């Protein structure tokens, strides 16, 4: 029964978790990742994670928004077990895969892309590499435009177009050349000082003028620009939702110059926002869409969906040996069917609306909550100081206290001050309500000075 959870049997991190953490430090590079929490999962079920010490947490992270169907979903488990017992690998680059074809058919049917074809990868990072290759090959143009605040990934290509934290690039140059970055139209905190909630059209017009009068006039020739790559909702930057008409107007400008629009839907896609793809919220049909994370419930599938005429590349130029192998394809097939047949899009909308409503009620009571935003189960709450500036210290303390109380609640954002809520799409309203209650308790404790630790985030 979910009413029993969360369940903290020993103050986390417990002794077994601490021992595993020390063991990892001796053999694993720090480059592997940013350890947001000292959690060592043993098993999971639904939207709950049990650690090696027996503590059970409500999970508002979903493994970087990837565990779309939660943990140990019976259908996912069955499909994967049955497939691995048949054949665990066949190289899609050399032979054909029934499961991969079935997954491609479903994705092609759901994607907001005209006459789509698909390439498969392993992670969001290489999906962005593939996106860059497709765009440059199809257009024979060298330049790429990307947004400040975009994460995109950690391969050389993805790192080259990302602009989330400058530390991502430190020590790795030279990177892929011919990339230029522009500010994202964040309605709450943008470089033009415009209230994008009150005046969305003004924010859009300022951005478009900036593109034409500065970027295309002085920085990069539009006729030599292959693609603009965007997250429909910026994820790691702090769940930043642009004005509703932004991408429609942007696409018009790009079409005038023959520039492709590629959407990085690695985090926003596959039901995360209550639509199959977040591009649908903005009424735009991209030329290319990158996907990953939740498509196989976190089990290592990604890819690019593009307009058919753009996807005719040199044979083997996008080949990755384990991509869309039979086991991962079985996981993806099960995930896509679960999302559809269990109406997880509807659940994301219902539970997401409930969470945002509760957060906005908290916003009325606590002035440190400067903004609440998101779509579906991709939600951010920005924590600020009295002058409106970011407050990463308080944010980290809120998240640490929530962890002690049994809630995995990460802090993200360009300034480390956004509480990120991206639980599995299967989360119930009952568990979500408990999670928000824990978050409010953690906020009260942090404000009262009762929290001495803070979570780690990107820096």
């Amino acid at each position: 029964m979910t009413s029993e959870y969360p369940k903290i049997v020993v103050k986390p991190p417990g002794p077994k978790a601490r021992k595993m953490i020390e063991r990892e430090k001796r053999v694993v590079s720090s480059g592997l990742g940013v350890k947001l929490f000292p959690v060592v999962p043993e098993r999971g079920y639904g939207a709950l994670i049990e650690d090696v010490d027996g503590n059970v947490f409500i999970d508002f992270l979903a493994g970087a928004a990837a565990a779309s169907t939660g943990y140990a979903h019976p259908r996912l488990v069955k499909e994967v077990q049955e497939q691995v017992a048949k054949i665990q690998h066949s190289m899609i680059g050399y032979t054909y895969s029934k499961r991969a074809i079935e997954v491609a058919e479903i994705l092609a049917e759901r994607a907001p892309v005209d006459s789509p074809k698909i390439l498969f990868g392993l992670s969001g990072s290489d999906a962005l590499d593939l996106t860059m290759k497709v765009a440059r090959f199809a257009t024979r143009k060298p330049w790429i435009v990307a947004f400040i605040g975009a994460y995109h990934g950690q391969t050389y290509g993805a790192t080259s177009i990302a602009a989330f934290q400058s530390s991502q690039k430190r020590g790795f140059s030279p990177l892929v050349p011919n990339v230029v970055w522009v500010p994202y139209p964040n309605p709450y905190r943008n470089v033009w000082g415009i209230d994008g909630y009150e005046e969305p059209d003004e924010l859009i017009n300022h951005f478009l003028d900036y593109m034409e009068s500065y970027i295309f006039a002085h920085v990069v020739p539009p006729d030599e620009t292959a693609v603009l790559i965007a997250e429909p909702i910026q994820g790691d930057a702090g769940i930043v939702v642009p004005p509703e008409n932004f991408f429609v107007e942007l696409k018009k400008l790009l079409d005038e110059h023959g520039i492709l629009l590629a959407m990085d839907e690695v985090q926003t896609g596959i039901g995360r926002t209550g639509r199959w793809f977040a591009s649908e919220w903005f009424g735009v049909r991209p030329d290319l869409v990158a996907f990953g994370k939740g498509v196989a419930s976190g089990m290592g599938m990604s890819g690019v969906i593009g307009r058919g005429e753009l996807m005719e590349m040199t044979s083997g130029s996008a080949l990755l040996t384990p991509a869309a192998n039979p086991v991962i394809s079985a996981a993806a097939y099960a995930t896509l069917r679960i999302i559809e047949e269990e109406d997880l899009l509807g659940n994301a909308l219902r539970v997401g609306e409930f969470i945002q409503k509760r957060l906005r009620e908290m916003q009325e009571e606590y002035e440190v909550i400067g903004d609440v935003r998101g779509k579906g189960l991709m939600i951010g709450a920005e924590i600020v100081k009295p002058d409106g500036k970011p407050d990463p210290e308080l944010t980290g303390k809120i998240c640490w206290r929530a962890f002690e109380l049994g809630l995995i609640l990460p802090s993200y954002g360009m300034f480390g001050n956004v509480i990120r809520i991206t639980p599995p799409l299967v989360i119930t309203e009952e568990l979500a309500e408990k999670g928000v209650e824990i978050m409010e308790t953690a906020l009260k404790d942090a404000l009262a000075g009762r929290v001495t630790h803070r979570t780690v985030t990107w820096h």
Side-chain angles (χ1 to χ4, degrees):
M1 293 291 291
T2 57
S3 59
E4 301 172 5
Y5 303 111
K7 182 173 69 175
I8 301 300
V9 297
V10 58
K11 185 177 179 180
K16 293 181 180 179
R18 291 197 300 271
K19 185 176 181 180
M20 291 301 300
I21 290 166
E22 288 305 311
R23 287 173 62 184
E24 183 187 277
K25 287 179 181 177
R26 291 194 291 269
V27 292
V28 177
S29 166
S30 60
L32 183 70
V34 178
K35 300 294 189 178
L36 303 180
F37 296 95
V39 175
V40 183
E42 179 75 18
R43 60 178 58 84
Y45 22 91
L48 299 167
I49 286 179
E50 181 178 338
D51 75 1
V52 289
D53 291 289
N55 294 315
V56 181
F57 300 85
I58 297 173
D59 182 17
F60 271 14
L61 175 60
S68 50
T69 59
Y71 305 103
H73 191 290
R75 179 163 182 178
L76 179 71
V77 172
K78 182 174 183 290
E79 293 273 5
V80 170
Q81 287 177 334
E82 289 180 353
Q83 182 59 57
V84 78
K86 293 177 181 177
I87 183 170
Q88 87 282 0
H89 177 66
S90 63
M91 211 287 234
I92 193 173
Y94 294 158
T95 58
Y96 297 86
S97 168
K98 174 187 174 184
R99 280 300 197 199
I101 293 167
E102 291 171 338
V103 170
E105 287 173 339
I106 297 171
L107 291 172
E109 183 180 343
R110 299 301 179 205
V113 177
D114 297 328
S115 304
K117 287 190 175 180
I118 293 167
L119 288 170
F120 285 110
L122 300 169
S123 72
S125 297
D126 62 45
L128 268 297
D129 285 13
L130 291 172
T131 299
M132 294 165 65
K133 291 181 77 171
V134 170
R136 281 181 166 171
F137 188 84
T139 64
R140 296 302 199 274
K141 298 175 183 179
W143 284 95
I144 294 171
V145 179
F147 281 100
I148 297 170
Y151 171 71
H152 292 318
Q154 295 289 0
T155 54
Y156 250 97
T159 296
S160 299
I161 58 172
F164 171 50
Q165 298 290 347
S166 61
S167 60
Q168 281 184 272
K169 297 186 174 76
R170 184 176 292 118
F172 297 124
S173 293
L175 298 173
V176 176
N178 294 84
V179 181
V180 63
W181 292 271
V182 295
Y184 199 81
N186 181 340
Y188 181 70
R189 193 184 296 280
N190 58 74
V191 298
W192 298 283
I194 298 169
D195 185 335
Y197 294 128
E198 293 294 326
E199 299 179 289
D201 291 340
E202 184 178 354
L203 180 56
I204 292 171
N205 290 335
H206 268 71
F207 175 86
L208 296 176
D209 180 68
Y210 178 81
M211 287 293 293
E212 293 218 73
S213 301
Y214 292 89
I215 299 301
F216 291 155
H218 303 287
V219 180
V220 58
D223 58 307
E224 293 187 4
T225 302
V227 64
L228 181 145
I229 300 176
E231 296 165 280
I233 298 172
Q234 284 200 319
D236 288 25
I239 318 295
V240 181
V241 184
E244 184 177 354
N245 293 325
F246 172 66
F247 283 109
V248 169
E249 297 302 319
L250 174 60
K251 187 73 164 65
K252 291 177 184 176
L253 175 63
L254 298 178
D255 287 346
E256 287 177 15
H257 294 290
I259 300 169
L260 302 177
L261 173 62
M263 289 293 212
D264 175 355
E265 295 244 27
V266 171
Q267 184 171 167
T268 57
I270 319 299
R272 170 57 51 192
T273 69
R275 298 283 188 271
W276 279 104
F277 294 90
S279 300
E280 299 170 52
W281 283 107
F282 303 102
V284 68
R285 296 187 71 79
D287 301 292
L288 300 164
V289 170
F291 65 91
K293 286 190 185 290
V295 69
S297 297
M299 288 183 63
M301 174 182 277
S302 71
V304 182
I305 308 168
R307 288 195 288 113
E309 65 269 25
L310 302 175
M311 304 295 282
E312 297 306 317
M313 302 173 69
T314 302
S315 177
S317 60
L319 180 156
L320 297 168
T321 298
N325 70 68
V327 177
I328 298 307
S329 295
Y333 181 81
T335 297
L336 295 169
R337 287 303 183 202
I338 291 165
I339 290 172
E340 183 163 30
E341 293 170 13
E342 297 186 10
D343 189 26
L344 296 190
L345 301 184
N347 192 63
L349 291 174
R350 288 187 296 272
V351 180
E353 182 180 355
F354 167 79
I355 292 172
Q356 284 208 54
K357 179 176 180 292
R358 286 284 289 110
L359 291 178
R360 290 200 165 91
E361 291 170 355
M362 289 169 58
Q363 186 181 14
E364 293 294 319
E365 186 173 351
Y366 306 97
E367 62 179 15
V368 296
I369 301 179
D371 193 29
V372 174
R373 55 198 180 232
K375 297 284 189 184
L377 285 172
M378 186 174 182
I379 300 166
E382 184 153 345
I383 305 301
V384 299
K385 298 176 181 178
D387 61 3
K389 292 181 179 179
D391 194 340
E393 182 76 20
L394 179 60
T395 308
K397 288 182 176 180
I398 294 168
C399 293
W400 181 266
R401 182 62 177 141
F403 161 66
E404 291 182 323
L405 296 172
L407 174 67
I408 297 175
L409 184 72
S411 59
Y412 268 59
M414 289 179 69
F415 310 103
N417 72 310
V418 178
I419 293 173
R420 173 190 186 185
I421 299 174
T422 57
L425 304 184
V426 296
I427 193 169
T428 63
E429 189 172 308
E430 180 186 11
L431 270 185
E433 183 171 17
K434 283 195 170 189
V436 176
E437 287 173 359
I438 290 171
M439 176 181 161
E440 184 169 12
T441 299
L443 172 58
K444 289 178 180 177
D445 288 350
L447 288 173
R450 292 193 287 267
V451 185
T452 57
H453 290 72
R454 54 177 291 195
T455 54
V456 175
T457 188
W458 288 89
H459 57 278

